[in-house]
Amino acid sequence: MQAKSTGRTVTETARRAQIIDAAIRVIADVGLARATFTRIARSAGLSSTGLISYHFADRAELLDATVERVLADFSAFVLARPDDGSARGALIAFCESNVDFMGAHPDHMSVLMQVRADLAGDADLRRRDTRELAELLRRGRSEGVFGEIDPMLTAGFILSMRDGLIRDIGQSADVPACRRAYVAATLSIVEGK
Amino acid sequence: MQAKSTGRTVTETARRAQIIDAAIRVIADVGLARATFTRIARSAGLSSTGLISYHFADRAELLDATVERVLADFSAFVLARPDDGSARGALIAFCESNVDFMGAHPDHMSVLMQVRADLAGDADLRRRDTRELAELLRRGRSEGVFGEIDPMLTAGFILSMRDGLIRDIGQSADVPACRRAYVAATLSIVEGK
Amino acid sequence: MQAKSTGRTVTETARRAQIIDAAIRVIADVGLARATFTRIARSAGLSSTGLISYHFADRAELLDATVERVLADFSAFVLARPDDGSARGALIAFCESNVDFMGAHPDHMSVLMQVRADLAGDADLRRRDTRELAELLRRGRSEGVFGEIDPMLTAGFILSMRDGLIRDIGQSADVPACRRAYVAATLSIVEGK
Amino acid sequence: MQAKSTGRTVTETARRAQIIDAAIRVIADVGLARATFTRIARSAGLSSTGLISYHFADRAELLDATVERVLADFSAFVLARPDDGSARGALIAFCESNVDFMGAHPDHMSVLMQVRADLAGDADLRRRDTRELAELLRRGRSEGVFGEIDPMLTAGFILSMRDGLIRDIGQSADVPACRRAYVAATLSIVEGK
DNA sequence: AATGAATGAGGGTTCATTCAT
DNA sequence: AATGAATGAACCCTCATTCAT
């Protein structure tokens, strides 16, 4: 495995990671609107907010990088899950890994929700996710295991239910119960009544 | 029916409404964080932000009043819908009226989502909605028409799907198709597979 | 007795008095800096701050009129006190009537202190008072009952001691004791040791 | 002697001092109510009021620091004066050093008077000063050199006379004459007639 | 004479960003 | 690469004052 060539030194990469970690903590903790450079710098143990500006062009770039980081962590988590190759199995794996990730990294999901609601490029990102999931649903339909559903709309539902769970799980709800219910609801939808 | 006695003059009420209208537009347009008094005043055609402060004690009161207004419009809309009294009928009516309201007032729903995420009393409000819907689901189970679902979690799913639709419908998706799919998905979940 | 010809109607005069009364109450209550037109109008039972602006050219005129009113009340109070004609008697009468006035009208004195500290014309007003009292002291010296004192500086001391008493008497100190001590201190000073 | 450990850098300390100096000038010049950040920044030669907020949490902290500074300067001045240990000598030293300090730093005393009148802890500060001086007077009574005076009330008189002198000395009166008269008046009072 | 509404200058404060070192 | 200091635009809010009715 090889690092992407970003033209960054090791030190620079480490500092960015340190700042992004702090940003995640702070955003999850006090909310995006109150996640100022001052608070992030303090949480990261930096001596000046100037250092953040030094490593990121502006606030938008920091938030972009933060979201990128969260998504990367999320992808790594999901990809680690075994998948039996069927559309139904993949869908269940998707649901379960999502819930498990939330349970393991509540801050990440909190950040994702908050930054997305404030980001310009959000719609694109969301649409890409939806399209990917819709593709899976189409496969399921062609395999004959799913009912006559609208792939895009249904994918949206599945993602929305997941987003809603973030709140509940953030309040330390019963994770296994959430996972079971989420999988059951998803299967009910895709298989039709 | 009698208007609530607020001790406000006609002019005052009209101005407040005008400002709240502008607030709704601006929040839906640029997001809550960028919905400054300056932007709201400009959108409302006011000569200065001072007029907003004149009619609302502070930013929080304006946002409260805005949410209150959105909820009132929403309630009026939903209550106008006939209901056959059964749990299943009520649930369908809930889903359909929600989608229809979004189609008619996309800005309202956008505001609701955003302000709630930033408001102190948010969790309570959300929880109350969830509880009410959960109660309906329980009734359906006791009527024997719904499956073995967790009422609270399922209510959360139904509300989350609705929230997700706001985005899509805001981008002028096919409202009737959304309504059909939303109702179908909801019924699939509550009736079990 | 005849009213000064101010060109004001009866109603106008009454309104001004009403506003000035409220100003005195509010200034004594919350302090000059927080004595806004809004608070004064509310205390006066007026429906709008516009009415204050209607009757007074600007804030400075209201404060000027308020001080003028306080001083008039004070003069009337002091003049009502019998005076044996001697410089010593007049000085004692001055001291005693000052303390008595404070006890009877603490708000008036509070206003006087606060507004003076903020008023442009204060120095003049103060100097005039000092000069008058100094004149009395000179008379006492020529009568041979006072010692070799500097009239202006001594007059300043006597007035300063009075000003200081306002604070104490405002906190409901023992008024008769204050009066005795004030007279005694004043006599000590003017008669030399 | 060692500097208090405030955790401030040299630059920061210097800037704070510069701002405090400007605050003293402005307050003495235009009065506390008109001593805005804008005026203080201009007087200090700063580019914006933001720099004041950068160095002081808020207006209250600036005023607190300003009073603290004035009191520190005053204490240093008074402590430098030799004292023969007797109550009478201490009282004379108190009077003289006060007048001398006013002559040397008229702005300081003006600030003290104005800020105190607006500060929360004012009453306490004033009362403490009065009590200290009253203690000295009690000592003088027990040494048999002072007459039958009320210590607290008399201490109040002595302080009030001093406060009154600030005005006169601010207008460049004859300082030595003021000092002589102040000492004479004070001794007259405490020794009885 | 009086009112309620509107105005706009100015207040303190926050914060991302810049810059000299 | 990093720091602390400085900047200035923007924010919400207050308030005396103006104005149409």
Side-chain angles (χ1 to χ4, degrees), chain A residues 8 12 31 33 45 60-61 67 69 74 103 107 137 148 156 170 184:
Chain A
R8 290 195 190 105
E12 165 122 36
E61 198 201 299
V67 169
R69 160 71 181 283
F74 178 67
D107 285 0
L137 297 181
E148 294 200 354

Short mmCIF file of all heavy atoms in Angstrom, two decimals, chain A residues 8 12 31 33 45 60-61 67 69 74 103 107 137 148 156 170 184:
data_model
loop_
_atom_site.label_atom_id
_atom_site.label_comp_id
_atom_site.label_asym_id
_atom_site.label_seq_id
_atom_site.Cartn_x
_atom_site.Cartn_y
_atom_site.Cartn_z
N ARG A 8 3.01 16.40 0.36
CA ARG A 8 3.14 16.88 1.74
C ARG A 8 4.25 16.12 2.46
O ARG A 8 4.44 14.93 2.24
CB ARG A 8 1.82 16.68 2.49
CG ARG A 8 0.73 17.59 2.02
CD ARG A 8 -0.43 17.62 2.99
NE ARG A 8 -1.55 18.33 2.36
CZ ARG A 8 -2.63 17.74 1.88
NH1 ARG A 8 -2.75 16.43 1.96
NH2 ARG A 8 -3.58 18.44 1.32
N GLU A 12 3.99 17.56 7.99
CA GLU A 12 2.78 18.25 7.57
C GLU A 12 1.56 17.33 7.66
O GLU A 12 0.51 17.71 8.18
CB GLU A 12 2.94 18.75 6.13
CG GLU A 12 1.65 19.16 5.47
CD GLU A 12 1.67 20.60 5.02
OE1 GLU A 12 2.73 21.06 4.56
OE2 GLU A 12 0.62 21.26 5.13
N GLY A 31 -20.76 21.32 18.67
CA GLY A 31 -21.53 21.69 17.49
C GLY A 31 -20.71 22.48 16.50
O GLY A 31 -19.79 23.18 16.87
N ALA A 33 -21.34 25.12 14.72
CA ALA A 33 -21.37 26.58 14.80
C ALA A 33 -20.42 27.10 15.87
O ALA A 33 -19.90 28.21 15.76
CB ALA A 33 -22.78 27.07 15.10
N GLY A 45 -4.06 20.98 21.30
CA GLY A 45 -2.84 21.29 22.02
C GLY A 45 -1.92 22.20 21.24
O GLY A 45 -0.70 22.21 21.46
N ALA A 60 -13.18 26.26 5.12
CA ALA A 60 -13.84 25.29 4.24
C ALA A 60 -12.93 24.10 3.97
O ALA A 60 -13.37 22.95 3.97
CB ALA A 60 -14.25 25.97 2.95
N GLU A 61 -11.65 24.38 3.74
CA GLU A 61 -10.75 23.27 3.45
C GLU A 61 -10.61 22.35 4.65
O GLU A 61 -10.54 21.13 4.52
CB GLU A 61 -9.37 23.78 3.01
CG GLU A 61 -8.58 22.69 2.28
CD GLU A 61 -7.09 22.96 2.28
OE1 GLU A 61 -6.67 23.99 1.73
OE2 GLU A 61 -6.35 22.11 2.83
N VAL A 67 -14.35 15.92 6.69
CA VAL A 67 -15.34 15.00 6.14
C VAL A 67 -14.66 13.87 5.36
O VAL A 67 -14.98 12.69 5.53
CB VAL A 67 -16.31 15.75 5.20
CG1 VAL A 67 -17.18 14.76 4.42
CG2 VAL A 67 -17.19 16.69 6.00
N ARG A 69 -11.80 12.64 5.84
CA ARG A 69 -11.21 11.73 6.82
C ARG A 69 -12.27 10.81 7.42
O ARG A 69 -12.07 9.59 7.55
CB ARG A 69 -10.53 12.56 7.90
CG ARG A 69 -10.28 11.85 9.19
CD ARG A 69 -9.16 10.81 9.05
NE ARG A 69 -9.01 10.15 10.32
CZ ARG A 69 -8.38 10.69 11.36
NH1 ARG A 69 -7.78 11.85 11.23
NH2 ARG A 69 -8.32 10.04 12.50
N PHE A 74 -14.77 5.49 7.64
CA PHE A 74 -16.00 4.73 7.49
C PHE A 74 -15.85 3.65 6.41
O PHE A 74 -16.23 2.49 6.62
CB PHE A 74 -17.14 5.69 7.13
CG PHE A 74 -18.44 5.01 6.90
CD1 PHE A 74 -19.10 4.38 7.95
CD2 PHE A 74 -19.01 4.95 5.63
CE1 PHE A 74 -20.31 3.75 7.74
CE2 PHE A 74 -20.21 4.31 5.43
CZ PHE A 74 -20.86 3.71 6.48
N GLY A 103 -21.85 3.01 16.58
CA GLY A 103 -21.61 2.64 17.96
C GLY A 103 -20.15 2.83 18.33
O GLY A 103 -19.82 3.28 19.43
N ASP A 107 -18.62 10.15 17.33
CA ASP A 107 -18.17 11.49 16.94
C ASP A 107 -18.12 11.63 15.42
O ASP A 107 -18.51 12.67 14.87
CB ASP A 107 -16.79 11.79 17.52
CG ASP A 107 -16.85 12.10 19.00
OD1 ASP A 107 -17.97 12.07 19.56
OD2 ASP A 107 -15.80 12.36 19.60
N LEU A 137 -29.54 -2.05 -4.97
CA LEU A 137 -30.96 -2.44 -4.96
C LEU A 137 -31.39 -2.96 -6.35
O LEU A 137 -32.15 -3.93 -6.46
CB LEU A 137 -31.82 -1.24 -4.55
CG LEU A 137 -31.57 -0.72 -3.13
CD1 LEU A 137 -32.50 0.44 -2.81
CD2 LEU A 137 -31.72 -1.83 -2.09
N GLU A 148 -40.85 -4.65 -6.13
CA GLU A 148 -40.89 -3.60 -7.15
C GLU A 148 -40.73 -2.23 -6.53
O GLU A 148 -41.70 -1.49 -6.37
CB GLU A 148 -42.22 -3.68 -7.91
CG GLU A 148 -42.35 -4.94 -8.71
CD GLU A 148 -43.39 -4.81 -9.80
OE1 GLU A 148 -44.07 -3.75 -9.81
OE2 GLU A 148 -43.52 -5.73 -10.61
N GLY A 156 -32.62 6.28 -0.72
CA GLY A 156 -32.74 7.46 0.13
C GLY A 156 -33.35 7.12 1.48
O GLY A 156 -32.88 7.59 2.53
N GLY A 170 -26.27 8.09 19.59
CA GLY A 170 -25.49 9.08 20.31
C GLY A 170 -25.95 9.20 21.74
O GLY A 170 -25.17 9.51 22.64
N ALA A 184 -34.24 -5.16 9.89
CA ALA A 184 -35.60 -5.66 9.63
C ALA A 184 -36.38 -4.66 8.80
O ALA A 184 -37.05 -5.01 7.82
CB ALA A 184 -36.30 -5.93 10.96
#
